[in-house]
Amino acid sequence: AEYMGSAALGLGADSGLDPSACVDVANAKVLVATRNGFNSNRLSLFVCTLEVSPSCAHVDVSSAAGQGISTGFAPSAAISGSKIFVATTNAADSDTVALFTCNLDGSGCTFQALSSAAGLSSSSGLSPSLVVAGSSVVVASEHVGNGSRTAVIAVSVSGADARAQVVTAP
């Protein structure tokens, strides 16, 4: 096995914070979403081969999707079909949930302000955890703005019909 770090791609210290990895079995790749502290806490995606001597490509997902600094905190990633979905805490938008969607090669990235689309307020997107279930992307996060209760947001994989539920104890 050989080590392939982000420094080999010319990226500085703190470019691999909070990694969330997924395996693209069909294309023999590993995709790693990170908070890139070297790049003002934007979301980065590393697309690497699954070989003895891996090679990686880097995509600045935040910029590719038209977003700025502090949009890539606490990434949580999952693959479904030909897409990777990454939920992040968007500190640039009062700690709400952001959803980035890209093709598996890192191209065609889009952004959705998921908390806003689901009608949630600020501080609703801390520590997001994302899963893809059938035709839905489901994100659970800490909603500090509502007593640190869990917020669950579901959206179709196409990005339509975002809805939220704040979970409360009985």
Side-chain angles (χ1 to χ4, degrees):
E2 204 170 300
Y3 169 74
M4 176 68 166
S6 57
L9 297 171
L11 300 174
D14 296 331
S15 59
L17 302 172
D18 307 327
S20 179
C22 305
V23 176
D24 173 6
V25 176
N27 295 304
K29 307 266 186 190
V30 62
L31 287 76
V32 183
T34 70
R35 171 172 60 95
N36 190 336
F38 180 73
N39 191 18
S40 301
N41 297 308
R42 289 177 172 92
L43 178 63
S44 279
L45 181 65
F46 296 91
V47 181
C48 303
T49 58
L50 286 174
E51 299 170 345
V52 174
S53 297
S55 63
C56 297
H58 170 257
V59 177
D60 176 350
V61 175
S62 292
S63 295
Q67 298 303 302
I69 65 171
S70 298
T71 54
F73 284 88
S76 178
I79 291 174
S80 181
S82 62
K83 302 286 185 185
I84 182 168
F85 298 89
V86 184
T88 67
T89 298
N90 186 350
D93 188 26
S94 303
D95 294 331
T96 55
V97 175
L99 179 64
F100 293 90
T101 306
C102 300
N103 296 324
L104 294 178
D105 64 359
S107 67
C109 297
T110 61
F111 167 84
Q112 184 174 10
L114 204 53
S115 289
S116 298
L120 294 176
S121 62
S122 62
S123 300
S124 60
L126 297 179
S127 303
S129 179
L130 178 146
V131 295
V132 179
S135 62
S136 293
V137 176
V138 180
V139 180
S141 64
E142 179 186 351
H143 190 339
V144 173
N146 194 350
S148 290
R149 291 179 174 89
T150 300
V152 179
I153 304 169
V155 62
S156 69
V157 292
S158 69
D161 305 320
R163 55 204 179 279
Q165 175 69 44
V166 177
V167 179
T168 57

